[in-house]
Amino acid sequence: MLLFLSILGCTSVEKKTIAIEKGISPKFKRVDSVYMTSNLAQTNLLLDSLKLKIDDDDVDDLTNYYYYKGLTNYKDTVLMNRYADSALAVFEDVEHQKLYPMAFAKALMLKSDVYVLFKKYDKALENYFRIKTTLNRHDDPLVYADYITRIAQLYYIQNLFRQAAHYHLEAFDIIETAKKLDARNVFYLKQGALNNAGFSYEKAGMLDSAAFLYQKGLSFIEQQLHKNMVTISQYNRSRIVLLDNLGGLMAKRGNLKLAEKYLEESVALDSYAQDKIKITAFIKLADVYRRLNKLPAADSLLNIAQKVIQETPFDNYLLKPRWDKARSELYFSEGNYKEAFHLMDRYAKTMDSVNAENELSRVDLNIRFQNKQTEQDLKVLTKTNENITLYLFCAAIFILMLICIVFLVIKNAKQAHKTEKATIKHSEELKKTMIRLENRNKDYAKMMKVMAHDLKNPLGGMVGISNLLLEEKRFIEDDREMLQLISSSGENAIEMINQLLNSNLAIENEVLTKERIDIQHLLRQCTELLQYKANEKQQKIIFISGGPAYLQLSREKIWRVFNNLVVNAIKFSPNHTVVKVVLERLDKSVRVAVIDQGIGVPEADKQRIFEMFTTAKRPGTSGEQPFGIGLSISKQIVESHQGKIWLQSNVDGGTIFYVELPLS
């Protein structure tokens, strides 16, 4: 946690009337930096050395001393509570609460932490409401971010993971926009906020969002290391946690090889905390080894994790039951069903007990805050009612304003009635215009279809004749080059005509013939058939499925969509790269992602790329000819199935195209 202290004026009179804000007190800069590294023993030593240097009337320094003392002694809840009470005692004078709002907020936060540890959630929520009414984001952004992080932790305890992620990201935004902050301390706060938000999204089942934030966290700490903002030890400690979470996420997705890579890198990194912060990585990696049938390696890791867990007095992260579950699954793989059942039964009982004791999960934080706000409003109203004259005066003004408002409403209603008539008339004219435009569009579509059919025959003859001439050997090299150019141009023109004939431009009123289709099976066939095309550029197509999903679709048209997206990925990716097709099942829909490592789409072209005959087109990496209509056709087909299609840039380079279709 970071400390922000205040200084007082020079005279005794000024001390009671004004508090001048300053940065972190020089006495506590070192304390703040050491505490951010989680070295609690060294933090305690520094605090003890400062104790005699703090004046009894220095509110900020006294508060910060008790605040850090409480945080560093969290294992001794009685002692932590004593320091929290000492911090609050500094603010028994109400004037101190007004003059030093940031310090008062920290004292309240420490006491709230104690209440949470003792499961006195009502008291904790009462303090958080007081903090909310005391703090201002712009006065001291880091103290406010600290408060927001605590709210996120409460939502996490309630298993409301999306809300928890939202508040962690809000804390990150507060830190990101704050100015003149200590770079080393901001490093811990930013990477912690990104990691916590990612983990919350992972718990909520939003794996793409979680992976994005983990990768963003890794990029951030890498940048800070290159800028010499952190030591290699601090960098390693943060990287261990991020790789641990990213590896676990890959294991959930079924990408065991990538999960193994991340987790092995996590446990291999050096850290002064040694194996203590690697326990979850050990457990996750053991489970990955088990699933890869590397049973001896899994057994060895679980033995290491068990030893570290036994040396850890506090199990805040439920490491013991997690170890029980992992060991039970390993026993099951080894055929030791008796021990497997015993440990799984112990795991289930432990988790049932934890869930039963989670009283906070039955508390609606929003309602509690609203109730507190209501109580405060009632107090204000009660105070207002004591002055009956002022109340009557305000009521008279309100009635007068109400009369004015009614007059204006009546006047506006009359004007609105006139406007409504004009709008109806304009709407009817617009409707007639739209009918005329629709009829013209149909004529245009028919004309395009006739033209396309008429053009195909002479173009086909041109291509055929040029190919026959190319088979003869009597032409010189320059003539053969011209014949080849004629053949290629003709084939490109025929392909473009075929795309036009397949587009809704020519068949806009066609009724879709839908059938119940397993989209997993369709995607597997599509990727397998297109692998031959990828082989031409030594590329690999990987299909990752979240399981079978049945939808009412037009097989031929949906096939055309995914065929077009995968072909584009092949076309715009360099040789020796990978194209991924990921099928993910959501609550009410399925989402398919086509991920390439290609040249990407410029920001300026992202809005135009789905337009018919768009100018936002470029040749493929091997000179493949673009036509600029394939994505427009795909968009029309997807939307005719009540779905949606969009794209975003890939953080690893290239582009991700998403198609989301509703479940049957």
Side-chain angles (χ1 to χ4, degrees):
M1 310 295 172
L2 291 181
L3 296 178
F4 281 80
L5 309 178
S6 304
I7 59 173
L8 304 179
C10 298
T11 68
S12 58
V13 174
E14 290 174 331
K15 286 183 180 181
K16 293 183 179 180
T17 58
I18 186 169
I20 303 173
E21 292 292 329
K22 66 176 183 178
I24 300 175
S25 167
K27 297 176 184 177
F28 283 88
K29 276 189 176 181
R30 177 63 177 163
V31 174
D32 190 55
S33 298
V34 174
Y35 177 75
M36 293 302 295
T37 67
S38 298
N39 192 337
L40 303 185
Q42 182 63 26
T43 305
N44 255 320
L45 290 174
L46 287 172
L47 288 168
D48 291 340
S49 67
L50 288 174
K51 186 176 182 181
L52 297 176
K53 301 178 182 179
I54 300 174
D55 296 331
D56 291 337
D57 59 350
D58 192 332
V59 173
D60 280 305
D61 280 356
L62 276 174
T63 305
N64 283 304
Y65 172 80
Y66 292 128
Y67 179 75
Y68 280 103
K69 269 295 187 178
L71 293 177
T72 55
N73 288 279
Y74 73 95
K75 295 179 181 180
D76 186 346
T77 53
V78 174
L79 185 58
M80 182 182 182
N81 186 46
R82 191 178 302 162
Y83 283 121
D85 289 338
S86 297
L88 286 174
V90 177
F91 298 94
E92 288 180 349
D93 184 348
V94 179
E95 281 300 309
H96 283 174
Q97 299 177 17
K98 297 178 181 178
L99 293 173
Y100 307 96
M102 300 304 153
F104 181 49
K106 283 191 280 188
L108 289 172
M109 282 192 284
L110 181 60
K111 187 64 177 180
S112 297
D113 291 345
V114 174
Y115 283 142
V116 171
L117 288 173
F118 285 105
K119 300 181 181 179
K120 295 183 178 180
Y121 299 120
D122 285 335
K123 293 286 188 181
L125 292 173
E126 184 176 345
N127 271 8
Y128 283 134
F129 180 79
R130 292 183 70 186
I131 294 169
K132 182 180 180 181
T133 57
T134 300
L135 282 179
N136 184 301
R137 169 175 177 168
H138 303 289
D139 290 344
D140 195 325
L142 291 191
V143 175
Y144 192 82
D146 202 9
Y147 159 72
I148 292 297
T149 300
R150 281 169 163 83
I151 296 298
Q153 291 166 350
L154 287 182
Y155 277 114
Y156 186 90
I157 294 172
Q158 288 188 297
N159 295 331
L160 298 174
F161 303 117
R162 290 195 181 190
Q163 291 91 326
H166 168 79
Y167 279 97
H168 280 305
L169 289 177
E170 183 178 350
F172 176 84
D173 181 64
I174 292 167
I175 301 162
E176 181 80 4
T177 55
K179 299 178 180 179
K180 297 180 181 180
L181 302 178
D182 187 302
R184 290 183 182 272
N185 294 337
V186 168
F187 166 80
Y188 286 103
L189 295 171
K190 282 187 178 180
Q191 66 88 18
L194 289 172
N195 182 64
N196 290 335
F199 192 71
S200 297
Y201 275 136
E202 181 180 345
K203 295 287 285 185
M206 301 172 66
L207 303 186
D208 289 341
S209 298
F212 172 79
L213 290 173
Y214 292 152
Q215 292 288 2
K216 186 175 181 179
L218 288 171
S219 299
F220 170 73
I221 65 173
E222 195 75 31
Q223 292 170 2
Q224 298 304 298
L225 181 66
H226 290 323
K227 294 178 182 178
N228 295 320
M229 294 296 182
V230 291
T231 65
I232 190 65
S233 175
Q234 294 167 332
Y235 166 81
N236 283 346
R237 184 177 178 84
S238 297
R239 189 170 176 81
I240 285 170
V241 176
L242 287 164
L243 289 172
D244 176 5
N245 288 338
L246 193 55
L249 180 62
M250 292 300 109
K252 286 183 180 179
R253 284 180 164 177
N255 193 339
L256 298 182
K257 286 295 181 183
L258 191 55
E260 181 183 30
K261 173 182 175 295
Y262 286 134
L263 291 169
E264 285 182 344
E265 184 178 352
S266 176
V267 300
L269 286 169
D270 292 328
S271 169
Y272 79 84
Q274 299 177 346
D275 293 336
K276 290 184 180 179
I277 65 171
K278 300 178 184 177
I279 300 176
T280 55
F282 286 142
I283 295 174
K284 292 175 187 176
L285 184 56
D287 186 62
V288 170
Y289 281 155
R290 177 188 64 80
R291 293 165 69 182
L292 291 172
N293 205 28
K294 299 180 180 180
L295 303 186
D299 181 78
S300 176
L301 280 177
L302 287 177
N303 288 337
I304 295 172
Q306 183 182 31
K307 182 179 178 182
V308 178
I309 291 171
Q310 289 171 347
E311 296 171 355
T312 305
F314 288 84
D315 193 7
N316 298 327
Y317 301 102
L318 300 176
L319 298 174
K320 292 179 182 178
R322 290 172 67 177
W323 183 91
D324 285 345
K325 185 174 183 292
R327 174 59 79 179
S328 172
E329 291 171 344
L330 180 58
Y331 277 146
F332 188 87
S333 298
E334 293 172 341
N336 189 347
Y337 303 117
K338 181 179 179 181
E339 290 297 329
F341 175 78
H342 170 70
L343 287 178
M344 186 56 71
D345 183 60
R346 189 167 75 182
Y347 165 79
K349 289 179 179 178
T350 302
M351 295 310 295
D352 287 343
S353 175
V354 169
N355 292 332
E357 293 175 2
N358 188 3
E359 297 174 8
L360 189 60
S361 64
R362 297 186 289 273
V363 176
D364 190 314
L365 295 183
N366 290 328
I367 291 177
R368 289 299 178 89
F369 276 129
Q370 288 172 6
N371 289 342
K372 291 295 181 182
Q373 184 65 55
T374 301
E375 290 176 13
Q376 187 178 29
D377 291 342
L378 287 173
K379 291 178 181 179
V380 173
L381 287 174
T382 301
K383 185 176 180 179
T384 303
N385 287 335
E386 293 173 358
N387 193 339
I388 190 66
T389 304
L390 180 61
Y391 172 82
L392 292 174
F393 177 73
C394 292
I397 293 177
F398 174 76
I399 292 171
L400 182 61
M401 292 179 63
L402 185 61
I403 293 171
C404 294
I405 292 171
V406 170
F407 173 76
L408 291 173
V409 167
I410 294 172
K411 183 179 179 181
N412 288 337
K414 292 180 179 179
Q415 183 64 39
H417 185 66
K418 294 179 181 179
T419 305
E420 183 181 4
K421 288 183 178 179
T423 302
I424 292 173
K425 183 179 179 181
H426 178 73
S427 179
E428 290 174 350
E429 293 176 355
L430 183 61
K431 185 176 180 180
K432 292 177 182 178
T433 303
M434 290 296 294
I435 292 172
R436 290 196 297 271
L437 287 174
E438 185 177 351
N439 291 333
R440 287 194 178 187
N441 188 50
K442 290 178 182 178
D443 294 339
Y444 170 68
K446 291 176 183 177
M447 180 185 69
M448 287 292 293
K449 187 173 182 180
V450 171
M451 288 177 61
H453 275 294
D454 291 346
L455 285 172
K456 280 184 69 176
N457 291 331
L459 285 172
M462 180 184 72
V463 172
I465 293 170
S466 61
N467 286 336
L468 286 173
L469 292 174
L470 281 170
E471 292 178 359
E472 299 184 12
K473 299 182 179 179
R474 58 190 178 89
F475 293 102
I476 63 175
E477 188 61 32
D478 288 346
D479 292 339
R480 293 181 67 82
E481 185 176 342
M482 293 300 294
L483 287 170
Q484 184 63 53
L485 181 61
I486 292 170
S487 177
S488 298
S489 299
E491 288 175 352
N492 287 337
I494 290 172
E495 183 178 347
M496 185 174 182
I497 289 170
N498 286 333
Q499 289 195 27
L500 278 170
L501 289 173
N502 288 329
S503 72
N504 280 355
L505 184 65
I507 52 172
E508 63 177 3
N509 292 322
E510 179 183 7
V511 177
L512 290 177
T513 303
K514 296 182 180 180
E515 56 183 302
R516 193 166 184 264
I517 294 173
D518 181 1
I519 195 168
Q520 174 187 244
H521 181 66
L522 184 144
L523 287 170
R524 182 173 284 112
Q525 286 184 331
C526 182
T527 53
E528 289 175 353
L529 288 174
L530 289 175
Q531 182 59 54
Y532 81 92
K533 189 171 185 67
N535 291 339
E536 297 175 2
K537 301 176 75 172
Q538 294 82 47
Q539 296 172 341
K540 180 70 175 177
I541 301 176
I542 298 175
F543 175 47
I544 301 172
S545 173
Y550 291 90
L551 293 84
Q552 290 291 334
L553 304 170
S554 168
R555 178 184 292 273
E556 182 269 330
K557 292 192 178 299
I558 290 298
W559 177 282
R560 189 187 305 164
V561 171
F562 294 124
N563 182 82
N564 184 46
L565 293 178
V566 176
V567 168
N568 278 356
I570 295 169
K571 182 188 298 184
F572 296 109
S573 295
N575 294 354
H576 307 288
T577 54
V578 173
V579 175
K580 291 183 181 179
V581 179
V582 181
L583 171 62
E584 182 180 2
R585 180 163 182 154
L586 307 178
D587 291 339
K588 297 181 180 179
S589 62
V590 295
R591 182 186 298 160
V592 179
V594 179
I595 308 168
D596 64 50
Q597 298 174 315
I599 58 179
V601 178
E603 195 65 33
D605 292 340
K606 286 183 178 179
Q607 299 300 321
R608 298 182 296 159
I609 199 167
F610 291 106
E611 297 174 0
M612 181 69 75
F613 303 110
T614 178
T615 57
K617 55 185 179 179
R618 293 180 291 175
T621 55
S622 296
E624 296 96 331
Q625 180 69 30
F627 299 110
I629 62 176
L631 287 176
S632 174
I633 295 171
S634 298
K635 186 174 187 290
Q636 292 177 33
I637 293 173
V638 171
E639 289 179 348
S640 71
H641 286 79
Q642 289 76 51
K644 57 182 179 179
I645 182 171
W646 72 97
L647 77 154
Q648 69 179 44
S649 297
N650 189 355
V651 293
D652 296 325
T655 307
I656 305 175
F657 278 88
Y658 291 101
V659 174
E660 189 167 326
L661 297 167
L663 286 168
S664 302

